[in-house]
Amino acid sequence: MIVSLFGDLAQHDGDHISGVALTEIAGLMGIRAEAIRVALHRLRKEGWVDSIREGRSSQHQLTQRGRKDTVSATPRIYARARTTTQHWNIVGASSDTGLEPVLREVTSAVELSRRFALIPSDDMDLPKDLMVFAITPKTVPHWMQSSVCPQDLADAALALEHALTQTNAMISAAGTFDPVQRAALRTLTVHRWRKIVLRIPNLPDMFFPPNWRGEACRDLTFDLLDQLPAPTLAELEASALQRR
Amino acid sequence: MIVSLFGDLAQHDGDHISGVALTEIAGLMGIRAEAIRVALHRLRKEGWVDSIREGRSSQHQLTQRGRKDTVSATPRIYARARTTTQHWNIVGASSDTGLEPVLREVTSAVELSRRFALIPSDDMDLPKDLMVFAITPKTVPHWMQSSVCPQDLADAALALEHALTQTNAMISAAGTFDPVQRAALRTLTVHRWRKIVLRIPNLPDMFFPPNWRGEACRDLTFDLLDQLPAPTLAELEASALQRR
């Protein structure tokens, strides 16, 4: 959740968020200050976050590595339309080798079986002993849609659609929010959407089950974010101090 | 061997070969009359051959079913160039179903794994729950060539190439042959070639290993058959009576 917050509001070099602001935002989510301290400790140990003490307060920021990972995920998380790679290859490994080495390298690969997978056709530097055929999909049966979009992902999308629909209605009714409230609501939204969107393969439409609600979630996510403009870090800090 | 002989010289409706001619031809191959009688008995039981007694002699012919199977294999056995299907699909079955039902239906399918196979793209009426992608092969690695052309098939082609090369040399040196001799030599050649050619998939060249000798065998087979023109059945019977 903290990484989602930094990704949403403070992913640039030099951006930092105070402990005070973090505690206020987390408080709105029902997370206690103690839990935030534990989470920050773990994120520091894992190399995601740097913290600087300033007297009785502290400032937190993404590490260089944390920023790099966050920046690289941003285009997918914040894309207002699904990005579809039109040209795919089916690749095959021998029964001895299996596909594990390829799946480790090509993050956009979609595994079909232990020996076969789909990968975007612009992926270079494949192992020499890999079967590679360019494909033009003709029939994508139901079982394959379910394997590309597994049931838990489809269920998560359906659940998020319901939650976002309700939240959108409540937010429209409630009127305006201060910067800390907006930060908290944005973070909650981005955090749940992120868990879904990063699992959606860039495959053409015919690979998705007819009841796939991921694109409805995308639209609702941006409806919501558009109603809750991202505060600047200065606005956020001022709002946090005001709330104390 | 008897079926190869009928396929080569007597596959038309009304064609028949006498017991006398069969015995002469088999004799040149080192097969005794008793073994021919046993083989004919089995072929009658299996519905391949009909026999009619005529006094002390007998006449043998393919049954309607035997003729049908023989005629349908003839274009592949006697093709002077490999027939290559240019357009292929890769098809995939779910892990529950597997490919067995498809492989039973589509005789030209090339199995890649328990769940994936290549089939010519003009094959209609595929099960609805089959994944179907048209393919453009880019890389066919060594292990896949070996699976399309297994070692025993490659070995059989290499062995036949040697045998045919020797036979061609001996036949060129020996001069002319009578119709029974020609029938025997043709049958031996067609019989061995048939076992190889019917296993060669119609895949494009890049699917074959670089040391694949099947096409050399094809050329040698037709060099040999061209030197040994097929006798008419009348010539064969006259030649058989003369040899007794």
Side-chain angles (χ1 to χ4, degrees), chain B residues 101-123:
Chain B
V102 177
L103 296 175
R104 267 201 307 276
E105 286 296 314
V106 183
T107 51
S108 47
V110 179
E111 198 173 351
L112 299 180
S113 78
R114 206 185 71 80
R115 289 179 49 203
F116 294 91
L118 300 174
I119 65 171
S121 66
D122 48 4
D123 257 298

mmCIF file of all heavy atoms in Angstrom, chain B residues 101-123:
data_model
loop_
_atom_site.group_PDB
_atom_site.id
_atom_site.type_symbol
_atom_site.label_atom_id
_atom_site.label_comp_id
_atom_site.label_asym_id
_atom_site.label_seq_id
_atom_site.Cartn_x
_atom_site.Cartn_y
_atom_site.Cartn_z
ATOM 1 N N PRO B 101 -8.451 -37.608 -29.578
ATOM 2 C CA PRO B 101 -9.588 -37.604 -30.510
ATOM 3 C C PRO B 101 -9.245 -36.936 -31.844
ATOM 4 O O PRO B 101 -9.697 -37.386 -32.900
ATOM 5 C CB PRO B 101 -10.658 -36.797 -29.762
ATOM 6 C CG PRO B 101 -10.250 -36.817 -28.321
ATOM 7 C CD PRO B 101 -8.763 -36.914 -28.317
ATOM 8 N N VAL B 102 -8.431 -35.873 -31.805
ATOM 9 C CA VAL B 102 -8.061 -35.161 -33.036
ATOM 10 C C VAL B 102 -7.095 -36.008 -33.859
ATOM 11 O O VAL B 102 -7.224 -36.121 -35.082
ATOM 12 C CB VAL B 102 -7.418 -33.800 -32.700
ATOM 13 C CG1 VAL B 102 -6.965 -33.084 -33.965
ATOM 14 C CG2 VAL B 102 -8.390 -32.937 -31.917
ATOM 15 N N LEU B 103 -6.115 -36.609 -33.192
ATOM 16 C CA LEU B 103 -5.106 -37.394 -33.906
ATOM 17 C C LEU B 103 -5.756 -38.591 -34.609
ATOM 18 O O LEU B 103 -5.306 -39.005 -35.669
ATOM 19 C CB LEU B 103 -4.013 -37.873 -32.938
ATOM 20 C CG LEU B 103 -3.185 -36.749 -32.293
ATOM 21 C CD1 LEU B 103 -2.218 -37.321 -31.272
ATOM 22 C CD2 LEU B 103 -2.434 -35.946 -33.348
ATOM 23 N N ARG B 104 -6.817 -39.132 -34.011
ATOM 24 C CA ARG B 104 -7.537 -40.237 -34.661
ATOM 25 C C ARG B 104 -8.192 -39.776 -35.950
ATOM 26 O O ARG B 104 -8.229 -40.511 -36.933
ATOM 27 C CB ARG B 104 -8.615 -40.807 -33.715
ATOM 28 C CG ARG B 104 -8.138 -41.990 -32.876
ATOM 29 C CD ARG B 104 -9.306 -42.821 -32.368
ATOM 30 N NE ARG B 104 -10.308 -42.028 -31.654
ATOM 31 C CZ ARG B 104 -10.223 -41.710 -30.362
ATOM 32 N NH1 ARG B 104 -9.191 -42.112 -29.659
ATOM 33 N NH2 ARG B 104 -11.174 -41.007 -29.784
ATOM 34 N N GLU B 105 -8.718 -38.543 -35.965
ATOM 35 C CA GLU B 105 -9.463 -38.025 -37.123
ATOM 36 C C GLU B 105 -8.536 -37.531 -38.227
ATOM 37 O O GLU B 105 -8.760 -37.788 -39.397
ATOM 38 C CB GLU B 105 -10.360 -36.856 -36.683
ATOM 39 C CG GLU B 105 -11.592 -37.261 -35.887
ATOM 40 C CD GLU B 105 -12.550 -38.098 -36.720
ATOM 41 O OE1 GLU B 105 -12.814 -37.707 -37.863
ATOM 42 O OE2 GLU B 105 -13.002 -39.150 -36.221
ATOM 43 N N VAL B 106 -7.522 -36.766 -37.844
ATOM 44 C CA VAL B 106 -6.671 -36.074 -38.824
ATOM 45 C C VAL B 106 -5.392 -36.881 -39.006
ATOM 46 O O VAL B 106 -4.471 -36.791 -38.207
ATOM 47 C CB VAL B 106 -6.343 -34.638 -38.347
ATOM 48 C CG1 VAL B 106 -5.524 -33.897 -39.404
ATOM 49 C CG2 VAL B 106 -7.625 -33.871 -38.030
ATOM 50 N N THR B 107 -5.349 -37.688 -40.081
ATOM 51 C CA THR B 107 -4.214 -38.598 -40.257
ATOM 52 C C THR B 107 -2.924 -37.847 -40.556
ATOM 53 O O THR B 107 -1.841 -38.356 -40.296
ATOM 54 C CB THR B 107 -4.485 -39.593 -41.399
ATOM 55 O OG1 THR B 107 -4.886 -38.841 -42.540
ATOM 56 C CG2 THR B 107 -5.576 -40.571 -41.024
ATOM 57 N N SER B 108 -3.022 -36.634 -41.088
ATOM 58 C CA SER B 108 -1.810 -35.880 -41.429
ATOM 59 C C SER B 108 -1.310 -35.029 -40.257
ATOM 60 O O SER B 108 -0.380 -34.250 -40.419
ATOM 61 C CB SER B 108 -2.077 -34.997 -42.641
ATOM 62 O OG SER B 108 -3.292 -34.291 -42.478
ATOM 63 N N ALA B 109 -1.910 -35.192 -39.093
ATOM 64 C CA ALA B 109 -1.467 -34.423 -37.923
ATOM 65 C C ALA B 109 -0.060 -34.835 -37.513
ATOM 66 O O ALA B 109 0.321 -35.995 -37.652
ATOM 67 C CB ALA B 109 -2.434 -34.640 -36.762
ATOM 68 N N VAL B 110 0.715 -33.882 -37.040
ATOM 69 C CA VAL B 110 2.062 -34.141 -36.513
ATOM 70 C C VAL B 110 2.042 -33.771 -35.036
ATOM 71 O O VAL B 110 1.907 -32.603 -34.668
ATOM 72 C CB VAL B 110 3.127 -33.310 -37.254
ATOM 73 C CG1 VAL B 110 4.514 -33.566 -36.668
ATOM 74 C CG2 VAL B 110 3.105 -33.627 -38.750
ATOM 75 N N GLU B 111 2.150 -34.794 -34.190
ATOM 76 C CA GLU B 111 2.035 -34.582 -32.749
ATOM 77 C C GLU B 111 3.278 -33.865 -32.217
ATOM 78 O O GLU B 111 4.399 -34.244 -32.531
ATOM 79 C CB GLU B 111 1.889 -35.960 -32.082
ATOM 80 C CG GLU B 111 1.333 -35.915 -30.691
ATOM 81 C CD GLU B 111 1.061 -37.321 -30.150
ATOM 82 O OE1 GLU B 111 1.146 -38.298 -30.942
ATOM 83 O OE2 GLU B 111 0.782 -37.446 -28.950
ATOM 84 N N LEU B 112 3.090 -32.832 -31.406
ATOM 85 C CA LEU B 112 4.222 -32.129 -30.802
ATOM 86 C C LEU B 112 4.351 -32.455 -29.317
ATOM 87 O O LEU B 112 5.442 -32.469 -28.759
ATOM 88 C CB LEU B 112 4.061 -30.613 -30.965
ATOM 89 C CG LEU B 112 3.993 -30.062 -32.395
ATOM 90 C CD1 LEU B 112 3.836 -28.547 -32.370
ATOM 91 C CD2 LEU B 112 5.231 -30.448 -33.187
ATOM 92 N N SER B 113 3.220 -32.651 -28.665
ATOM 93 C CA SER B 113 3.208 -33.030 -27.253
ATOM 94 C C SER B 113 1.837 -33.636 -26.995
ATOM 95 O O SER B 113 1.028 -33.760 -27.916
ATOM 96 C CB SER B 113 3.447 -31.803 -26.355
ATOM 97 O OG SER B 113 2.264 -31.025 -26.242
ATOM 98 N N ARG B 114 1.570 -33.979 -25.743
ATOM 99 C CA ARG B 114 0.275 -34.596 -25.453
ATOM 100 C C ARG B 114 -0.883 -33.652 -25.779
ATOM 101 O O ARG B 114 -1.985 -34.092 -26.079
ATOM 102 C CB ARG B 114 0.214 -34.978 -23.955
ATOM 103 C CG ARG B 114 -0.721 -36.127 -23.631
ATOM 104 C CD ARG B 114 -0.819 -36.351 -22.136
ATOM 105 N NE ARG B 114 -1.550 -35.287 -21.473
ATOM 106 C CZ ARG B 114 -2.883 -35.184 -21.431
ATOM 107 N NH1 ARG B 114 -3.634 -36.092 -22.008
ATOM 108 N NH2 ARG B 114 -3.468 -34.175 -20.814
ATOM 109 N N ARG B 115 -0.621 -32.345 -25.753
ATOM 110 C CA ARG B 115 -1.711 -31.381 -25.930
ATOM 111 C C ARG B 115 -1.614 -30.545 -27.198
ATOM 112 O O ARG B 115 -2.563 -29.844 -27.534
ATOM 113 C CB ARG B 115 -1.780 -30.448 -24.709
ATOM 114 C CG ARG B 115 -2.302 -31.140 -23.449
ATOM 115 C CD ARG B 115 -2.333 -30.173 -22.284
ATOM 116 N NE ARG B 115 -2.982 -28.929 -22.639
ATOM 117 C CZ ARG B 115 -2.787 -27.761 -22.016
ATOM 118 N NH1 ARG B 115 -1.948 -27.698 -20.998
ATOM 119 N NH2 ARG B 115 -3.417 -26.682 -22.406
ATOM 120 N N PHE B 116 -0.467 -30.578 -27.900
ATOM 121 C CA PHE B 116 -0.295 -29.714 -29.073
ATOM 122 C C PHE B 116 0.140 -30.521 -30.298
ATOM 123 O O PHE B 116 0.890 -31.490 -30.174
ATOM 124 C CB PHE B 116 0.712 -28.599 -28.782
ATOM 125 C CG PHE B 116 0.205 -27.635 -27.729
ATOM 126 C CD1 PHE B 116 0.486 -27.840 -26.384
ATOM 127 C CD2 PHE B 116 -0.591 -26.562 -28.097
ATOM 128 C CE1 PHE B 116 -0.011 -26.975 -25.416
ATOM 129 C CE2 PHE B 116 -1.087 -25.694 -27.133
ATOM 130 C CZ PHE B 116 -0.799 -25.901 -25.796
ATOM 131 N N ALA B 117 -0.352 -30.111 -31.476
ATOM 132 C CA ALA B 117 -0.004 -30.797 -32.725
ATOM 133 C C ALA B 117 -0.091 -29.814 -33.881
ATOM 134 O O ALA B 117 -0.719 -28.760 -33.768
ATOM 135 C CB ALA B 117 -0.946 -31.975 -32.972
ATOM 136 N N LEU B 118 0.564 -30.179 -34.996
ATOM 137 C CA LEU B 118 0.442 -29.417 -36.231
ATOM 138 C C LEU B 118 -0.532 -30.152 -37.139
ATOM 139 O O LEU B 118 -0.444 -31.376 -37.262
ATOM 140 C CB LEU B 118 1.810 -29.305 -36.928
ATOM 141 C CG LEU B 118 2.905 -28.603 -36.119
ATOM 142 C CD1 LEU B 118 4.247 -28.679 -36.849
ATOM 143 C CD2 LEU B 118 2.516 -27.148 -35.890
ATOM 144 N N ILE B 119 -1.446 -29.415 -37.784
ATOM 145 C CA ILE B 119 -2.317 -30.037 -38.776
ATOM 146 C C ILE B 119 -2.434 -29.097 -39.975
ATOM 147 O O ILE B 119 -2.371 -27.883 -39.835
ATOM 148 C CB ILE B 119 -3.719 -30.379 -38.216
ATOM 149 C CG1 ILE B 119 -4.484 -29.119 -37.824
ATOM 150 C CG2 ILE B 119 -3.632 -31.311 -37.010
ATOM 151 C CD1 ILE B 119 -5.925 -29.421 -37.485
ATOM 152 N N PRO B 120 -2.560 -29.692 -41.184
ATOM 153 C CA PRO B 120 -2.714 -28.851 -42.375
ATOM 154 C C PRO B 120 -3.915 -27.934 -42.184
ATOM 155 O O PRO B 120 -4.930 -28.343 -41.629
ATOM 156 C CB PRO B 120 -2.974 -29.867 -43.493
ATOM 157 C CG PRO B 120 -2.378 -31.143 -42.990
ATOM 158 C CD PRO B 120 -2.591 -31.126 -41.518
ATOM 159 N N SER B 121 -3.793 -26.684 -42.658
ATOM 160 C CA SER B 121 -4.816 -25.701 -42.306
ATOM 161 C C SER B 121 -6.098 -25.901 -43.087
ATOM 162 O O SER B 121 -7.103 -25.259 -42.789
ATOM 163 C CB SER B 121 -4.285 -24.285 -42.502
ATOM 164 O OG SER B 121 -4.045 -24.055 -43.863
ATOM 165 N N ASP B 122 -6.106 -26.793 -44.090
ATOM 166 C CA ASP B 122 -7.349 -27.011 -44.828
ATOM 167 C C ASP B 122 -8.233 -28.068 -44.163
ATOM 168 O O ASP B 122 -9.295 -28.401 -44.666
ATOM 169 C CB ASP B 122 -7.061 -27.394 -46.286
ATOM 170 C CG ASP B 122 -6.008 -28.482 -46.375
ATOM 171 O OD1 ASP B 122 -5.582 -28.976 -45.314
ATOM 172 O OD2 ASP B 122 -5.619 -28.831 -47.496
ATOM 173 N N ASP B 123 -7.778 -28.590 -43.027
ATOM 174 C CA ASP B 123 -8.590 -29.603 -42.359
ATOM 175 C C ASP B 123 -9.767 -28.966 -41.645
ATOM 176 O O ASP B 123 -9.604 -28.154 -40.745
ATOM 177 C CB ASP B 123 -7.744 -30.412 -41.364
ATOM 178 C CG ASP B 123 -7.405 -31.756 -41.936
ATOM 179 O OD1 ASP B 123 -8.347 -32.520 -42.191
ATOM 180 O OD2 ASP B 123 -6.216 -32.029 -42.164
#
